[in-house]
């Protein structure tokens, strides 16, 4: 068994692990990264964010081709199989892996491929893919092992027609009908993807509203457009049992309903990847979902061990995970690069997409904050008309007395890009955070960004 000494060892090479490793390396520390795959990138690159967003992009292009009258001169509408569309995602994954492999090489970060577990508070044992066991000793260790789909014991995930959000990427055919159990972010995104491929979707939600953390108007808009694309949404339902058949799946609900489809996609929660880390050897406890508790500096209950990304829970976004990892390393090496990550925009890649930051109307009303609303509907925006993307709106919530921007909510084409303009102004100090910025600034025309100017005028016109 070889023994290697490092300043910092990072477990996981997803966004959090990469962010941690790069920051520690830039601070002049000797760094190693361990990943249980033979390739870097983590679940984000191989199973989650990258493949699902690449799938969504391809499906959206297909939908655009099939609904744009201009393309009728080329030919009739076309439908593509799920495996065909998945090929575009595979190409993106390979490019991402190549890029990220280069990051580690350029920054002189050693990468070990294998399964890591704690021997003690400063020692990690790695069972490499070759079977060789290596021992890594470090002053500080950062856990960034990510998460995986939650799998209840009473659901047979070995059945060939029952999938979770990881195994769905191995689907080798296009089902005619699919049940998606769980209407959170992942479930809603896959409902968009499959319905865009012409698949009939039953989306099962155990709450009374889709993505209830969103602004009510945005949530309602998403529900409408999913239903408009043949997604049948069933609210306030819970499964009693899932019956796998030779030619399909029957979902038995506690309400007495039964639904049959070609296959079922389970999208109900995630679990932290902590069960194989040997945390019991160092006294770190996890919650019922396998997540590690950290303080605002991303330090665990063991002073030299930190954690970041999905393995600590909220917000479970690749964007936040990268910043959390960087901050965890900043805390570990004390190079003044730490910040507590709480200013996180929501990015939901349904079709159309959704993004928001700040407070929604429900929260402001409950807090009795006097706010006003400014809206810009995309159907009136020149760029949206040119792009044949009329669906959507930008909504700005601002204080009616100070004019401070309190929240930005966007639904439609390029929503996840548009939101960052509002985020930048919201982060300005004092009187610089004002809706007047958008009426006193010249925007390129035609752009989607000019929706801010339209929404600002709309909101200011409501004041008296």
């Amino acid at each position: 068994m070889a023994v290697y000494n490092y300043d910092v060892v990072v477990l996981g090479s997803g966004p959090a692990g990469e962010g941690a490793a790069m920051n520690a390396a830039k601070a002049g520390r000797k760094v190693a990264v361990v990943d249980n795959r033979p390739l870097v990138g983590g679940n984000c690159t191989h199973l989650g964010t990258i493949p699902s967003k690449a799938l969504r992009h391809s499906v959206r292009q297909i939908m655009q081709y099939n609904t744009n009258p201009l393309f009728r001169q080329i030919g009739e509408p076309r439908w593509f199989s799920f495996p065909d569309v998945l090929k575009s995602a595979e190409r993106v994954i390979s490019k991402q892996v190549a890029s990220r492999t280069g990051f580690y090489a350029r920054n002189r970060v050693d990468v070990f491929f294998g399964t890591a577990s704690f021997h003690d508070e400063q020692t990690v044992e790695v069972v490499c893919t070759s079977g060789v066991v290596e021992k890594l000793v470090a002053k500080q260790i950062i856990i960034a092992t990510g998460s995986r789909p939650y799998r209840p014991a009473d659901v047979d995930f070995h059945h060939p027609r029952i999938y979770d959000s990881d195994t769905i990427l191995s689907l080798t055919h296009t089902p005619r009908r699919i049940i998606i159990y769980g209407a959170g972010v992942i479930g809603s995104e896959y409902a968009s993807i499959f319905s865009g491929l012409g698949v009939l979707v039953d989306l099962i939600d155990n709450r009374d509203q889709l993505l209830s953390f969103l602004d009510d108007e945005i949530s309602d808009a998403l529900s409408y457009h999913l239903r408009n694309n043949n997604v049948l949404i069933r609210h306030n339902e819970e499964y009693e049992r899932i019956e796998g058949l030779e030619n399909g799946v029957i979902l038995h609900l506690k309400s007495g309903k039964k639904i049959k489809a070609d296959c079922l996609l389970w999208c109900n929660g995630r679990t932290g990847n902590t069960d194989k880390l040997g945390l019991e050897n160092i006294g770190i406890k996890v919650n019922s979902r396998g997540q590690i508790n950290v303080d605002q500096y991303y330090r665990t209950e063991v002073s030299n061990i930190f954690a970041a990304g999905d393995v600590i829970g909220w917000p479970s976004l690749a964007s936040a995970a990268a910043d959390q990892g960087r901050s965890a390393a900043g805390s570990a090496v004390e190079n003044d690069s730490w910040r507590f990550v709480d200013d996180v925009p929501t990015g939901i890649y349904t079709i159309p997409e959704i993004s928001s930051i700040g407070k929604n109307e429900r929260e402001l009303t409950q807090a009795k904050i006097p706010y006003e609303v400014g809206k810009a509907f995309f159907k009136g925006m020149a760029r949206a008309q040119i792009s044949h993307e009329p669906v959507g709106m930008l909504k700005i919530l601002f204080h009616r007395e100070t004019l401070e921007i309190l929240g930005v909510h966007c639904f439609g084409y390029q929503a996840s890009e548009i939101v960052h303009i509002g985020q930048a102004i919201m982060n300005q100090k004092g009187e610089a955070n004002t809706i007047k910025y958008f009426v006193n600034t010249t925007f390129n025309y035609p752009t989607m960004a000019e929706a801010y100017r339209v929404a600002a005028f709309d909101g200011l016109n409501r004041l008296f």
Side-chain angles (χ1 to χ4, degrees):
M1 179 187 296
V3 179
Y4 301 88
N5 291 288
Y6 291 95
D7 296 314
V8 178
V9 167
V10 180
L11 307 183
S13 68
E18 182 182 297
M22 294 305 120
N23 195 15
K26 298 292 185 188
R29 302 304 194 271
K30 186 180 180 184
V31 183
V33 168
V34 184
D35 199 282
N36 62 359
R37 277 190 188 84
L39 299 168
V40 299
N43 288 338
C44 169
T45 297
H46 296 278
L47 296 172
T49 303
I50 295 302
S52 65
K53 277 51 177 181
L55 269 171
R56 175 204 178 269
H57 178 75
S58 296
V59 170
R60 191 176 151 275
Q61 286 183 311
I62 294 167
M63 293 173 69
Q64 206 170 29
Y65 173 82
N66 286 335
T67 56
N68 190 332
L70 176 66
F71 293 124
R72 295 292 69 77
Q73 298 175 32
I74 301 172
E76 294 302 308
R78 296 283 304 276
W79 299 102
F80 293 77
S81 71
F82 185 82
D84 285 341
V85 175
L86 195 58
K87 290 176 184 175
S88 64
E90 292 168 354
R91 286 191 289 270
V92 176
I93 290 170
S94 63
K95 290 178 180 178
Q96 283 286 298
V97 168
S99 297
R100 299 186 183 289
T101 300
F103 298 159
Y104 294 107
R106 286 201 301 274
N107 287 278
R108 305 294 190 269
V109 174
D110 294 339
V111 181
F112 293 82
F113 296 114
T115 303
S117 61
F118 283 93
H119 177 73
D120 58 43
E121 295 176 3
Q122 290 190 320
T123 309
V124 172
E125 290 186 354
V126 181
V127 180
C128 298
T129 50
S130 62
V132 175
V133 179
E134 312 279 21
K135 185 175 283 188
L136 311 183
V137 179
K139 298 171 186 174
Q140 281 116 1
I141 299 171
I142 300 172
I143 303 171
T145 47
S147 65
R148 64 182 183 274
Y150 167 65
R151 287 186 163 193
D154 60 345
V155 177
D156 180 14
F157 287 96
H158 295 293
H159 192 280
R161 301 234 176 202
I162 299 175
Y163 300 88
D164 62 25
S165 56
D166 285 356
T167 58
I168 194 66
L169 297 174
S170 64
L171 184 66
T172 57
H173 68 284
T174 306
R176 299 186 69 175
R177 184 169 194 153
I178 188 171
I179 298 166
I180 298 179
Y181 188 85
V185 172
I186 296 173
S188 296
E189 288 180 349
Y190 270 106
S192 288
I193 288 169
F194 278 104
S195 64
L197 289 172
V199 179
L200 294 175
V201 178
D202 282 89
L203 181 61
I204 313 301
D205 185 12
N206 58 17
R207 300 184 181 183
D208 60 3
Q209 182 185 21
L210 274 189
L211 305 178
S212 55
F213 59 87
L214 292 174
D215 183 271
D216 289 342
E217 197 169 4
I218 301 293
S219 174
D220 291 344
L222 175 62
S223 296
Y224 170 80
H225 286 285
L226 284 176
R227 289 186 173 110
N228 197 44
N229 282 335
N230 281 328
V231 176
L232 180 58
I233 305 171
R234 300 177 188 265
H235 291 296
N236 298 310
E237 297 281 10
E238 290 189 39
Y239 82 100
E240 185 174 81
R241 63 188 177 94
I242 297 172
E243 180 184 358
L245 308 174
E246 185 178 343
N247 63 345
V249 177
I250 298 176
L251 173 65
H252 299 259
L253 297 169
K254 289 183 178 179
S255 63
K257 299 183 186 73
K258 292 193 293 185
I259 307 168
K260 185 177 181 182
D262 299 327
C263 59
L264 181 141
L265 170 58
W266 179 273
C267 292
N268 199 33
R270 295 186 69 80
T271 299
N273 291 324
T274 52
D275 51 316
K276 297 179 181 178
L277 289 177
L279 296 179
E280 64 278 2
N281 296 333
I282 53 174
I284 292 180
K285 297 179 177 63
V286 297
N287 64 18
S288 60
R289 282 297 176 96
Q291 296 163 342
I292 298 172
N293 185 50
V294 295
D295 63 16
Q296 63 176 337
Y297 297 99
Y298 299 100
R299 193 186 305 270
T300 68
E301 50 200 309
V302 178
S303 62
N304 71 305
I305 298 176
F306 301 76
D310 282 16
V311 79
I312 68 171
W314 186 91
S316 294
L317 295 170
S319 55
D323 289 341
Q324 289 172 340
R326 184 173 186 276
S327 292
S331 296
V333 304
E334 299 179 350
N335 68 345
D336 295 324
S337 60
W338 165 87
R339 72 179 176 92
F340 180 66
V341 180
D342 59 353
D343 177 32
V344 181
T346 298
I348 302 170
Y349 296 88
T350 46
I351 303 173
E353 65 191 66
I354 297 168
S355 197
S356 64
I357 192 164
K359 301 295 184 182
N360 60 40
E361 288 201 62
R362 181 172 61 253
E363 292 167 333
L364 293 174
T365 299
Q366 290 172 350
K368 297 184 178 178
I369 296 174
Y371 73 92
E372 197 47 87
V373 183
K375 295 181 183 178
F377 291 95
F378 290 179
K379 63 184 179 182
M381 306 297 300
R383 181 60 179 269
Q385 293 167 354
I386 291 167
S387 304
H388 295 277
E389 296 284 358
V391 171
M393 70 168 180
L394 172 67
K395 180 177 182 179
I396 304 175
L397 308 180
F398 63 99
H399 198 290
R400 64 173 296 117
E401 294 165 5
T402 66
L403 304 185
E404 172 190 3
I405 299 171
L406 305 170
V408 176
H409 305 271
C410 193
F411 176 76
Y413 179 54
Q414 293 189 3
S416 57
E417 304 279 355
I418 294 168
V419 73
H420 291 302
I421 300 170
Q423 180 188 29
I425 303 306
M426 287 175 68
N427 282 333
Q428 302 307 302
K429 304 297 183 184
E431 294 181 358
N433 176 2
T434 174
I435 195 169
K436 282 192 173 180
Y437 171 86
F438 300 119
V439 298
N440 294 327
T441 299
T442 302
F443 287 86
N444 281 331
Y445 175 85
T447 59
M448 296 305 297
E450 65 163 333
Y452 278 99
R453 181 179 59 82
V454 176
F457 276 122
D458 178 67
L460 290 171
N461 286 339
R462 298 178 194 276
L463 299 179
F464 56 88

